[in-house]
Amino acid sequence: MVRHTPMVKKPLPAGLPREWYEDHNRRLKAMRLAIALLDGGVYTPERARNRTIRTTAARIGVHPPSNTTCRLVRSLITENAR
């Protein structure tokens, strides 16, 4: 079994508009949720309804995602299916 070492976290760049940080954090959250859904057997965006995504968020300890984040999660799952 191969162990992966976590990446070293670097501080975010300073001085960018607030929207950049919000979008960055939204993308990270969507990625975590998409990975958890794929690990849980949800492989198509049709099966990733908002309720499913929010239940997964509660299960992995992430704050409930907004509708925008749910759409982003579905788009990430769509990209994975190709």
Side-chain angles (χ1 to χ4, degrees), residues 1-59:
M1 179 174 182
V2 176
R3 291 268 176 172
H4 296 284
T5 57
M7 293 179 59
V8 176
K9 290 186 179 182
K10 295 183 274 186
L12 293 176
L16 295 173
R18 181 176 178 85
E19 293 80 28
W20 186 91
Y21 298 103
E22 291 171 354
D23 289 342
H24 175 75
N25 288 331
R26 175 172 284 133
R27 287 190 303 268
L28 290 177
K29 183 179 199 174
M31 184 64 72
R32 277 188 234 113
L33 288 167
I35 291 168
L37 286 166
L38 291 169
D39 287 345
V42 177
Y43 300 115
T44 60
E46 295 81 26
R47 292 189 57 208
R49 302 197 185 285
N50 287 359
R51 179 183 223 164
T52 307
I53 294 169
R54 290 187 175 116
T55 302
T56 302
R59 185 172 47 84

